Amino acid sequence: MAPPPPIPYHPPLGRSTGASQPPNAETMTKNSDSTGAAERPLEWPEAERPLLPFVPMIYVAWADGVLSADEIRGIREQMRAQPWLTDRARAVLDRWLDPDAPPSPAMLHALYLTMREIGEKLPEAERLSLAGLGLAIARAGSPATAGAASIADRPEVGQALVEIEGALGVVGEEALREVFAPERPAAGAAGEAAPTPAAPAAPARPASFDPAALGRFLDGDRRPMRERVFRLLREPRFRPDPDLGMAARRQWVFDRLAELAEHGLGAVAYPEAYGGEGDVAGQITAFESLAFGDIALVVKYGVQFGLFGGSILSLGTRRHHERYLRDVASLRLPGCYAMTEAGHGSNVRDIETTATYDAGTREFVIHTPNDDARKIWIGNAALHGRMATVFAQLEVGGERHGVHAFLVPIRDEDGKPLPGIRIEDCGHKEGLNGIDNGQIWFDRVRIPRENLLDRFGQVSDDGVYSSPIPSDGRRFFTMLGTLVAGRISVAAASVSAAKTGLTIATRYADRRRQFGPAGHPEVPVLDYRTMQRRLLPRIATTFALDFAIRDLVRRFAERVDGDLREVEALAAGLKAYASWHTVDTLQACREACGGMGYASENRFGDLKADTDVFTTFEGDNTVLLQLVAKSLLTGYREELGGLQLRGIVRHLTRRAATRIVELNPIATRRTDEAHLRDPDFHRAAFRYREERLLVTAARRLKRRIDQGTDSFEALEETQDHLVALALASVERTVLERCLDAVESCDDAALRPILEKLAALFALSRIEDDRGWFLENGYIEGAKAKAIRNAVNALCAELRPDAVALVDAFGIPDEVLAAPIALAQA
Amino acid sequence: MAPPPPIPYHPPLGRSTGASQPPNAETMTKNSDSTGAAERPLEWPEAERPLLPFVPMIYVAWADGVLSADEIRGIREQMRAQPWLTDRARAVLDRWLDPDAPPSPAMLHALYLTMREIGEKLPEAERLSLAGLGLAIARAGSPATAGAASIADRPEVGQALVEIEGALGVVGEEALREVFAPERPAAGAAGEAAPTPAAPAAPARPASFDPAALGRFLDGDRRPMRERVFRLLREPRFRPDPDLGMAARRQWVFDRLAELAEHGLGAVAYPEAYGGEGDVAGQITAFESLAFGDIALVVKYGVQFGLFGGSILSLGTRRHHERYLRDVASLRLPGCYAMTEAGHGSNVRDIETTATYDAGTREFVIHTPNDDARKIWIGNAALHGRMATVFAQLEVGGERHGVHAFLVPIRDEDGKPLPGIRIEDCGHKEGLNGIDNGQIWFDRVRIPRENLLDRFGQVSDDGVYSSPIPSDGRRFFTMLGTLVAGRISVAAASVSAAKTGLTIATRYADRRRQFGPAGHPEVPVLDYRTMQRRLLPRIATTFALDFAIRDLVRRFAERVDGDLREVEALAAGLKAYASWHTVDTLQACREACGGMGYASENRFGDLKADTDVFTTFEGDNTVLLQLVAKSLLTGYREELGGLQLRGIVRHLTRRAATRIVELNPIATRRTDEAHLRDPDFHRAAFRYREERLLVTAARRLKRRIDQGTDSFEALEETQDHLVALALASVERTVLERCLDAVESCDDAALRPILEKLAALFALSRIEDDRGWFLENGYIEGAKAKAIRNAVNALCAELRPDAVALVDAFGIPDEVLAAPIALAQA
């Protein structure tokens, strides 16, 4: 063991003159490396030995961040006041504790080594006391002799040390803990022999459940379609090069789409008579499964088979099905869904493209009357589409009958635009550059009468219009029903993208280590609360959303006319909720992965850019949520703006008296864990919020209408309220469907984890909106804090299961592809 | 005027048999187009005339969404019960109001025309009453004759109509309003003659202030540098093609960087002696101004002149300055700042690259001991860098002295990596693909002793280490001080990007029209409350942040050692706050622009992808906020983790008793506008929150430490609390600097708008965090609601000024470049 080095007398060192070294610093440092006899007395000039008991305090005074300059001066004064000090000792002390002239690093290091040397022989309690350690150093450096007791044995010295230590507080102990801490074993610091590029994986902690079993429960009957899609997505050719230019990427997407068609994935929803499988839910599952891969490919899939093919299927009649569906499914007939116009993005009802019937030639004339009426953002239009389902205002014999859909050929076999058709490329986009969006103008383009998709509105040869739906408005919303499958698909795809992001970020955060307690290895970042809070509530929300969307798909596939309105409203609401969840989740996950999340190979770049537009297309989220709110206000009768508002509002304000749950003053204060995790509490809270927002929205509307405000304006003035109502309603549905799923689970091994996920979803949402719950007296302040603690506790409980939870999403490594997410990366 | 058409007797129409038309529908429709004598009696079979008074109610029953099937049956029963009806009339009524057999569209249209025809001659009150209009129709269709009074004149008829109308509620009036509304003038529907491609611009509303004057006030002395930078950014060659591949984009950025250097923009911060301008604040302004253009270019600018050059300037001494600064400024010496290692992103103190002094050859040996220690994400490394400032653990004579910086040549004149240097490209990224990030490994690379940047630590020829800063920790944080300018610059650039996004979105939302009240033109989307709430609070926050960062730049440029810690903490906090604000703002702006926001030409794609990493680089936001919190806990003494925690916590918990402001029960309830807009209320609220979070954090830490929890763990367990504290502190600073700016404004014409912006910033932040304020009793529920209303009111008040506010950001159209933002687009 090395001898304690002498503590040198050192000259003051100014910051700017740091180059000059105390003459013996070098020797000292070298001494500390040599081994020699232990217990050699400290080499310390006689006159300065009275300062030996202060060594630990002097060290601590200069150690990182412990004392400010004023505090250093303060303890110097306390020390100087000790009667046993000589004037010479006081002069030395003045120099050693001069805040303007700190000691050299070597000097400080020498003190450190002395303290370790002496302290290592002491019991811990003594070693971690500035006084105890100081006395031990004094005893070693100024031993008792026949002539004099050691300074360490003088009672006034010990007492003074205890006093100064008391004044310093617990600071000293903390500093001394660090002195005696073992050196931090740096992660992966095994020298050049270290074989793996990354930090060693965290020791596998067993999950509390079997992820494969949870995965089977989650996927349910979606499993076979998942497997069918994953067989393709596993192939490396299904992963695009992120640096592909727009043109090459479009071709790549088209080629992959052709492969999907080859494998029959284009026809899943179509009737068996046309080579399909008649499986509407299956097509949505295919879409959702494809969304674990390249998002542009799944969007192209949706445009071709869902929107274009789907419009023929649901707006057309048998002759359209017979003539087109097979060619759509095989991609022999690439097509577009041309609804949106430049001037009318959200307000489809006011589109201006006209389809005028010419009874003389038995043709419709499709025409773009002005530039605002050009079709815009039409997928497949810039390059690949041969035909388009065009939405236009039908005019027969000078009479308008509202928006109808027409099949309009737009390109010839060589891909050249047909006469009267003008197409422009929408150009480069934030994401989805694999999709060839275009703008289309029609200059009096003639199409045969048969090209009207005539399920909901017919024109006879001689120009008589008829429809099974009398009002233009009702017919319009029925035709827009083709968008419902699209909205559900976008919601489902959003969840897939969130699952991908969460799987990558959670696996990375489980292995990535940064910082840690002194003397211990660095800690996996998922052990940090901020990281748990970033990922775990979003994992819980993703599970809950998956259950809710799965249920919606079932209702949609089994729908009867009666509940169509409610399914439509749910589709709109879940599309908005899920797409915002995904934008938020992917951003959180990207940030959780730090710089590695920024590398394209780890997928967040494309995932974020491609899914961003999910909040806009198939209906702008804010507009959709207003539709949802209006549906709630009207009891799902129609979605038609202000017309029926007055009657509705009267109805709802009547309801107010009876429906709103009375607040229970005990429940608003209960903070025990059993209550906070009780699904009945969650359900009641979510229902209360929705009902109250509904009734208060109705009251606000009534007040305005009673004052003579026009209904458009009244709705506008309560818009923020309506959006809050819609979100609360969607969230209540998500919770209820999630709780249904938990209750339906008969695998006892999975129940606990499902219950925790549901509770975390519910509590984290209540926490997030606690402003509302507090404002309305549903909870009190103490309960809000208890909910925060409950969220923290659930995050900590779920942390060991985090990787197993994302493994249950069941994304194969080859599909996940992100290097930071792969166990062997 | 057209004669009222006959109301036909029509057969029931099933939905599926909609093709069959009532025989006279066609005639009827044609009749309605012809002009003829007015006042012709309705052609209505005698036996059915008793139904004439019900015409408006029958129409309303089928109009969009007014009545459900049950309700239709309900009013049918009410009508059937009228004694004046004959059995024949009742049979007809049964068919007309059969929910399973709605009338044809033509039939409904005929009713519509009849109502218009008759109603147009009535006074409005009568016309908008189902009863009044019904009686008028009856009078016209069943006129009084000598033999009998008109059915309309029988008192029981009028009474029955009023009763049924009462049961229908106000629904009827609303439906009739729509019948009599003028046709909606569709935006831009001026036919083919319409000359402009977009909707006509909203009529210019005069702003309440002069945007140029506000711009001058905002920019202050930054104006000359702004102009200097904008002169370049205006050139079209400074706008990259979004479809450029990575290689081409890197070259593009390098070429533009060379232009900036040519114009002297690289040397702004360097001393005049080396060709610079000695203007630290000016360089930050240059950075901030460049950030209105391509973000990759500004990042490359920061890497070369700020980080690489800045490290030479602030860590090196005169010989380094003399030798390198001119070449750095001219880009003759492209360089890197190689700090981050793969295994140590945030935890720089534990990096593992070593720099061992070899006294024999007077060289340092730079070495990468394992793969985790490779330098990663180093800008300029993959392609252009010739030299790097490398951070490594200094070892002299077997002794470690902590992290130091060394100048290491990495490429020869031909761009080939030097012996011992291995470089790999970081590849394609989510954004910033104009930056050539790389990874670097060093294999015992030898550099001369002089290449140590030795301002804070020197090694003598013979291997003696010395430093003006004694402790490794303090020295480490002093060296990291080079990052402070970088963090301030990133905060400032974030604000520039937010300004760009807000300018584009606000101008677009001011002109883009969607939906509107019946009979009126569509409404600019910025008139909608949801849109105002998306944009205006973020505009206010951007102004406030700009004032705060401007003040920080001043403090940084004028700093003295004493307040360096506080400047560092503020830089860290504002960087985190501003970068998150920008990520959030750009997403909101992109969504506000709908599909048009997704087109790359409108810039959100690159803006979002490029600035996303601002939340990560120059310090992960969450890690930085923890540093800020620790600085607050220690009163800015050091930033060093748990070491000094115990003493600090004791200090703060003592402070708790005296410092926390007493809650004023009147203030918690005041909801009058004067109070809600009073800056003193805002200041007090922000201060209260920060102080209370500080004291409660200290208490929580103390409780844990008293129970024997290790300080690392204690900090970890309060991490979410510390992040909330840091954000509250930053936000308080932003508010105070914003209010300072308002108070400093002596232009009376600008004060009102500045006061509104400050109030909107403050109130929208309080609203956003109202959960906290409610939970802690600082406000009560009614006040929270009043604050929401106050935010709505401020948004509405600022709406007419919205475009002028973003115009005050002063971004020239050529720099803004987004077509949807340009007035003449």
Side-chain angles (χ1 to χ4, degrees), chain A residues 64 71 468 471 637 646, chain B residues 15 64 71 170 471 637 646:
Chain A
D64 293 332
E71 286 167 325
S471 98
R637 277 196 284 190
R646 290 166 186 247
Chain B
R15 278 176 190 254
D64 292 332
E71 287 166 325
V170 286
S471 96
R637 278 196 286 191
R646 288 164 187 248

Side-chain angles (χ1 to χ4, degrees), chain A residues 751-773:
Chain A
R751 281 296 284 262
I753 188 77
L754 287 169
E755 284 165 3
K756 279 184 198 172
L757 286 170
L760 180 56
F761 165 65
L763 289 172
S764 63
R765 301 321 301 156
I766 295 174
E767 183 192 17
D768 197 60
D769 203 17
R770 71 193 197 281
W772 189 90
F773 286 103

Side-chain angles (χ1 to χ4, degrees), chain A residues 15 64 71 109 170 174 184 342 347 350 399 468 471 512 522 529 608 612 637 646 716-717, chain B residues 15 64 71 109 170 174 184 342 347 350 399 468 471 512 522 529 608-609 612 637 646 716-717:
Chain A
R15 278 176 190 254
D64 293 332
E71 286 167 325
H109 195 69
V170 286
E174 195 65 35
R184 149 101 40 95
N347 188 4
D350 282 352
E399 204 62 55
S471 98
R512 172 72 174 176
E522 290 185 295
R529 174 164 295 162
K608 285 178 57 197
D612 177 13
R637 277 196 284 190
R646 290 166 186 247
E716 199 287 309
E717 284 174 12
Chain B
R15 278 176 190 254
D64 292 332
E71 287 166 325
H109 194 70
V170 286
E174 194 65 35
R184 150 101 37 96
N347 187 3
D350 282 352
E399 203 63 56
S471 96
R512 172 73 173 174
E522 289 186 297
R529 174 164 295 161
K608 286 178 57 197
D612 177 13
R637 278 196 286 191
R646 288 164 187 248
E716 199 286 309
E717 285 175 9

Side-chain angles (χ1 to χ4, degrees), chain A residues 63-66 170-178 184 515-518, chain B residues 349 477 626-627 629-631 633-634 637-650 701 705 709-716 718 722:
Chain A
D64 293 332
V66 175
V170 286
V171 168
E173 182 183 326
E174 195 65 35
L176 292 177
R177 259 186 213 288
E178 196 148 285
R184 149 101 40 95
F515 301 108
Chain B
R349 204 175 177 178
F477 279 100
Q626 289 171 63
L627 293 184
K630 287 175 202 167
S631 288
L633 285 164
T634 63
R637 278 196 286 191
E638 287 285 342
E639 302 181 355
L640 275 187
L643 187 60
Q644 76 284 37
L645 200 60
R646 288 164 187 248
I648 295 317
V649 162
R650 214 176 42 151
L701 286 168
I705 289 170
T709 309
D710 151 279
S711 62
F712 175 83
E713 205 179 318
L715 284 167
E716 199 286 309
T718 47
L722 297 181

Side-chain angles (χ1 to χ4, degrees), chain B residues 176 226 260 267 276 278 339 357 500 503 534 585 664 668 773:
Chain B
L176 292 178
R226 277 270 197 288
L260 299 182
M339 175 181 273
Y357 187 63
T500 299
T503 304
R534 268 184 179 170
T585 294
N664 175 341
T668 60
F773 286 103

